[in-house]
Amino acid sequence: MKAAKITEPDEGPRSKRGAILTAAIKNFGKNGYDATKWSVVADQVGIGQTALYHYFESKAHCLLTIMRLELQRSLEMFVKATDDQPDPMEALREAVRSAYVVSDRDVAQMRILQNNLAILAVPRSSKKEEAERLAARELVHRIEDAWTELLQRGMDEGAFVRRDAHTLALNMLGMIVSVWRWYRPRGPVTLSNVSELTEDCCVRMVAP
């Protein structure tokens, strides 16, 4: 089934959609999706629980939207970091660095994404949930393909050791995103340290 194109709703000055997403990201990121009550999100936004359904038909719909938005952001950051880099090695370095140029909100979104990836594997009965799920899955594939194409270009130009580009891309992505399961913005490990270590590991993986 082809992913449906998601059109973001127009948010007027009275819209609560942005506030709902902000509250949901805060709670899903800190306490976990399953442990967060939908009513808590409503209370923090200052609306009744039934009003939530004007924007999201379920807590799962909100979760899938957050995941899809994070995947869109990640892909856009990769494209911005690599599009004007003719040197594959420098493009790889920039791609890794860009993955860690993030706000606290981005960190929470990425934690939510990594902790709930399993939901993308199961079709949803709700049309809106399913549209978000399929859009998120398509973005996952686009991100994997973008990394694969970068690595393949480096191999074709002789800058990278020749391996299976797709498998290598999946390995790199796994290393890069696994950070969000344990990283905390005010923890003992800085993102600068994480970025430098991960960049060095990725370069070593492709160095001839």
Side-chain angles (χ1 to χ4, degrees):
M1 184 176 182
K2 186 177 180 181
K5 182 176 175 57
I6 304 294
T7 302
E8 302 294 346
D10 292 330
E11 291 194 46
R14 301 180 65 181
S15 173
K16 298 294 185 181
R17 186 174 185 270
I20 293 168
L21 286 170
T22 296
I25 289 167
K26 178 181 177 181
N27 285 278
F28 295 172
K30 181 179 179 181
N31 304 315
Y33 169 73
D34 290 329
T36 298
K37 293 184 178 179
W38 202 211
S39 59
V40 169
V41 174
D43 290 343
Q44 291 183 358
V45 175
I47 59 177
Q49 188 171 348
T50 55
L52 288 173
Y53 299 104
H54 175 72
Y55 303 96
F56 298 100
E57 64 180 30
S58 65
K59 187 172 78 163
H61 180 206
C62 184
L63 170 66
L64 287 160
T65 299
I66 291 168
M67 294 172 72
R68 189 257 304 166
L69 289 171
E70 173 50 36
L71 288 162
Q72 282 182 190
R73 188 197 67 82
S74 295
L75 180 58
E76 288 166 5
M77 292 300 292
F78 175 89
V79 171
K80 183 179 179 181
T82 61
D83 254 12
D84 296 324
Q85 274 295 345
D87 177 16
M89 185 64 81
E90 189 57 33
L92 175 60
R93 288 183 179 276
E94 290 292 340
V96 176
R97 291 169 191 161
S98 72
Y100 299 109
V101 180
V102 292
S103 66
D104 287 358
R105 179 188 174 107
D106 297 333
V107 171
Q109 287 188 167
M110 287 183 286
R111 186 180 308 130
I112 292 165
L113 175 64
Q114 294 307 310
N115 287 341
N116 296 279
L117 279 172
I119 197 174
L120 299 184
V122 183
R124 313 294 298 182
S125 57
S126 154
K127 287 185 178 179
K128 289 184 178 180
E129 290 179 21
E130 182 66 356
E132 290 285 6
R133 185 188 78 89
L134 290 173
R137 283 173 61 90
E138 181 176 296
L139 284 163
V140 169
H141 294 312
R142 287 176 63 189
I143 290 169
E144 292 173 355
D145 289 346
W147 278 82
T148 300
E149 289 169 10
L150 171 59
L151 295 174
Q152 188 63 58
R153 176 163 69 92
M155 294 175 196
D156 292 343
E157 294 180 14
F160 299 163
V161 66
R162 189 164 292 279
R163 294 193 175 98
D164 181 82
H166 185 62
T167 302
L168 186 58
L170 295 180
N171 273 270
M172 282 190 181
L173 282 167
M175 177 170 56
I176 291 165
V177 303
S178 65
V179 168
W180 309 119
R181 292 180 176 272
W182 56 264
Y183 173 77
R184 296 296 181 269
R186 279 157 286 283
V189 181
T190 68
L191 270 186
S192 177
N193 294 149
V194 172
S195 181
E196 288 176 12
L197 176 61
T198 308
E199 180 183 337
D200 182 63
C201 289
C202 289
V203 168
R204 288 172 181 268
M205 291 169 75
V206 300

